[in-house]
Amino acid sequence: MLPFVSLLAAELVCLVYGAEVIRDTTTYGQTVSENLFIVNKQLAPDGFQRSTVLAGLTPSTGSFPGPLISGNKGVRFNLNVTDQLTDPSMVRSTTVHWHGLFQKTTNYADGVAFVSQCPIAANHSFLYDFQVPDQAGTFWYHSHISVQYCDGLRGPLVIYDPQDPQAYLYDVDDETTVLTIADWFHNTSTELIAAAVAPLADATLINGKGRYLGGPAVPLAVINVQQGKRYRFRMISIACDANHNFSIDGHRLTVIEVDGENHEPATVDNIQIFPGQRYSFVLDATQPVDNYWVRALSSSGVGTSGFIGGLNSGILRYQGAPDADPTTTNSTGVVLTESMLHPLENPGAPGLPFPGGADEVLNLTLGFNLPATFFMNDTQYIPPTVPVLLQILSGAQSPQDLLPPGSVYTLPINKTIEINFFGNATPGGPHPFHLHGHSFDVVRSADNTTYNYENPVRRDVTSVAIGNQTTIRFVTDNPGPWFLHCHIDLHLEFGLAVVMAEAPSLVKATDVTTPAWDELCPIYDSLTPAQLP
């Protein structure tokens, strides 16, 4: 079970009775206040001990994944992040990004180093204070400085909708049904950067547990179900490199949510999930009481080892089944593609139903050169020394004035934007691209050469395949600088990103900063070389 952020008694998200969950349908506008401590800790989730960067509700309870943060639709979060990092072998400053939350009027709380803030220096803290008025679904949080989240700073975030239109499809939806999929490295992120080669994950972790090739047979994650009940599993890829093919032996998976957006039910046997993506699927526990393998086959190095000895695996255990490894076998079946997914509410892409039928069209071509340099339209993203938001608040407006040069695109307010991604011959793909501040409609998916303007999948992370085209559309209704980047963290580190400066002339009127935010840059800029990384 994941650690759970507790709420005040008057602000409970749900009441749990046995396996049942009863939603409080009257709790709106509650405030969830917590301290989140970022600490170094020795950890061995796959049996190999290493120093990590973790989040915890106290300085001594850092965990992987980090504690589940949750609230009801309409929640206000007051999350005070305190940096207590001391290990000089890894980055000691930090930020936290709340992945998938739009941060309307609170761009400063988006948590991206050198885009929306300066990093939080060690022995300092910063309060992320933001509201989520109209979003519900499955999200997560992670560090957004360098490649720090690969060292462990990643955890789930769920916003429940007491009036979920698809609640009739499931019986159980609580902290026990949050499911994280991660790749895990025995090397630190700074070692991965220094190697400047495609990393090979040492293990796949399901809910923070897994095994590596040649390692000890440490316990695997066990997911408990009761025969006859229907479970809404909220699956989150908190991976920093690998994508995974996920399945549960003997069970079909009915997808009902994609990246915080409700979708029409789509029943499959296998889900390929890329870093940063989330899927809610309903599992109907109708099989005989037994143990069943949960499989998350990694696209990284550990994936070549299959499932022997419990690699890339967890266990689905029915109530009453023995405490034993499964003997079930895997079958391929129907594999999810984006073209199967259609939004439940307000389907349809903005703009006119043909290529180029938007107010503005951007073509972004991915590129790569040795040694380990990625490009977007021939420009490598290198973080500026002054955050883009601070530049805008200081008066910079045009692409020529905004740093880093060639990596900031200004967009007008209330316009339909079409972005065409061209995968080119870039290595390490498919590349999962994430846009902050928005969901978007994927009118041409990487797994399909046709266009869909009527009811395309709506999400915030989509893949860009090598040698192929992906096209998305969204409306610029959220002023501020928003990061658009590959969610393979080393690819971002090596330059695969741009910044969308949305309606910069309106940012001063809409963006709310705080005195503590104003202090982040002077504190960070005063650090000595010995206090860095």
Side-chain angles (χ1 to χ4, degrees):
M1 181 184 298
L2 292 163
F4 189 66
V5 172
S6 60
L7 306 180
L8 297 175
E11 297 165 348
L12 288 175
V13 173
C14 61
L15 301 173
V16 181
Y17 180 75
E20 299 289 347
V21 176
I22 304 170
R23 298 284 169 221
D24 177 357
T25 59
T26 62
T27 305
Y28 284 90
Q30 84 272 29
T31 298
V32 173
S33 299
E34 277 295 346
N35 290 303
L36 204 61
F37 294 88
I38 312 305
V39 299
N40 293 121
K41 185 176 181 178
Q42 291 289 324
L43 202 69
D46 62 351
F48 179 92
Q49 185 166 289
R50 57 156 290 187
S51 180
T52 60
V53 177
L54 304 177
L57 300 182
T58 70
S60 61
T61 56
S63 63
F64 185 85
L68 170 63
I69 297 173
S70 74
N72 266 12
K73 188 174 183 179
V75 65
R76 177 175 181 171
F77 287 112
N78 281 275
L79 303 170
N80 190 56
V81 174
T82 300
D83 185 339
Q84 296 190 343
L85 298 173
T86 58
D87 189 337
S89 71
M90 294 176 284
V91 173
R92 282 172 285 176
S93 297
T94 196
T95 68
V96 178
H97 168 57
W98 318 97
H99 182 118
L101 300 184
F102 298 155
Q103 299 290 356
K104 287 193 174 182
T105 75
T106 51
N107 178 273
Y108 83 95
D110 196 41
V112 184
F114 306 113
V115 175
S116 57
Q117 68 171 93
C118 277
I120 306 166
N123 301 315
H124 291 83
S125 63
F126 179 66
L127 177 65
Y128 291 92
D129 181 357
F130 57 92
Q131 291 183 290
V132 190
D134 53 8
Q135 289 183 269
T138 308
F139 309 93
W140 64 300
Y141 61 91
H142 58 86
S143 166
H144 222 309
I145 179 173
S146 186
V147 193
Q148 188 181 65
Y149 97 68
C150 296
D151 291 315
L153 205 178
R154 19 183 171 158
L157 190 156
V158 175
I159 299 177
Y160 295 99
D161 184 355
Q163 299 175 342
D164 178 13
Q166 302 194 95
Y168 68 95
L169 294 172
Y170 55 87
D171 306 305
V172 183
D173 175 24
D174 59 21
E175 66 270 24
T176 69
T177 60
V178 175
L179 185 63
T180 60
I181 311 295
D183 47 10
W184 190 252
F185 299 86
H186 295 169
N187 296 100
T188 66
S189 61
T190 48
E191 290 170 334
L192 295 176
I193 292 171
V197 296
L200 299 178
D202 293 289
T204 294
L205 304 184
I206 298 175
N207 283 355
K209 295 181 178 181
R211 296 173 184 170
Y212 68 94
L213 186 63
V218 296
L220 297 173
V222 176
I223 301 165
N224 295 292
V225 296
Q226 183 179 344
Q227 190 181 49
K229 292 191 179 296
R230 303 165 302 166
Y231 293 81
R232 175 179 180 159
F233 284 100
R234 297 174 179 267
M235 180 169 62
I236 309 169
S237 173
I238 60 173
C240 73
D241 177 80
N243 66 75
H244 295 84
N245 285 290
F246 178 88
S247 63
I248 301 177
D249 289 0
H251 294 77
R252 306 208 76 194
L253 316 174
T254 299
V255 175
I256 62 171
E257 179 219 343
V258 181
D259 294 0
E261 300 282 352
N262 293 325
H263 278 66
E264 296 176 1
T267 300
V268 297
D269 301 283
N270 185 293
I271 298 172
Q272 184 179 24
I273 186 167
F274 290 89
Q277 292 184 334
R278 294 90 65 206
Y279 291 102
S280 279
F281 63 85
V282 175
L283 180 142
D284 197 349
T286 57
Q287 296 302 305
V289 172
D290 205 346
N291 294 290
Y292 298 84
W293 283 119
V294 177
R295 304 176 188 269
L297 185 62
S298 166
S299 65
S300 190
V302 71
T304 60
S305 304
F307 305 105
I308 296 173
L311 294 175
N312 300 305
S313 300
I315 299 170
L316 181 77
R317 177 164 295 154
Y318 277 66
Q319 182 179 325
D323 185 0
D325 281 353
T327 58
T328 55
T329 56
N330 187 30
S331 60
T332 304
V334 178
V335 179
L336 180 72
T337 63
E338 283 193 332
S339 59
M340 298 178 184
L341 297 167
H342 308 294
L344 185 68
E345 295 114 351
N346 303 313
L352 299 174
F354 52 81
D359 296 311
E360 290 206 9
V361 178
L362 298 177
N363 294 319
L364 298 178
T365 301
L366 284 59
F368 178 80
N369 281 336
L370 289 172
T373 305
F374 283 95
F375 301 96
M376 299 281 280
N377 287 353
D378 298 321
T379 300
Q380 179 189 20
Y381 176 80
I382 299 174
T385 56
V386 178
V388 179
L389 177 58
L390 181 55
Q391 296 177 51
I392 292 172
L393 292 173
S394 300
Q397 300 290 317
S398 69
Q400 295 75 25
D401 297 329
L402 291 165
L403 302 174
S407 292
V408 182
Y409 293 77
T410 60
L411 303 176
I413 192 67
N414 294 328
K415 299 295 183 182
T416 297
I417 308 299
E418 176 176 297
I419 300 180
N420 297 304
F421 297 92
F422 297 98
N424 213 344
T426 49
H431 300 277
F433 267 82
H434 172 47
L435 175 62
H436 293 220
H438 293 275
S439 289
F440 48 72
D441 289 284
V442 187
V443 298
R444 175 171 167 166
S445 294
D447 56 24
N448 201 324
T449 59
T450 62
Y451 291 85
N452 178 7
Y453 301 98
E454 182 180 354
N455 56 1
V457 63
R458 186 170 295 146
R459 62 187 324 161
D460 58 50
V461 181
T462 192
S463 67
V464 176
I466 298 171
N468 207 343
Q469 175 185 338
T470 297
T471 301
I472 67 172
R473 283 189 182 175
F474 64 97
V475 174
T476 51
D477 56 3
N478 192 10
W482 303 110
F483 217 15
L484 172 62
H485 63 91
C486 178
H487 223 292
I488 296 175
D489 224 27
L490 273 176
H491 296 181
L492 167 57
E493 176 71 12
F494 295 144
L496 205 52
V498 293
V499 177
M500 295 291 152
E502 189 170 326
S505 63
L506 301 179
V507 170
K508 288 184 178 180
T510 61
D511 203 280
V512 179
T513 59
T514 66
W517 184 86
D518 294 335
E519 295 170 4
L520 287 172
C521 288
I523 294 171
Y524 181 80
D525 292 342
S526 70
L527 296 178
T528 65
Q531 295 171 305
L532 295 170

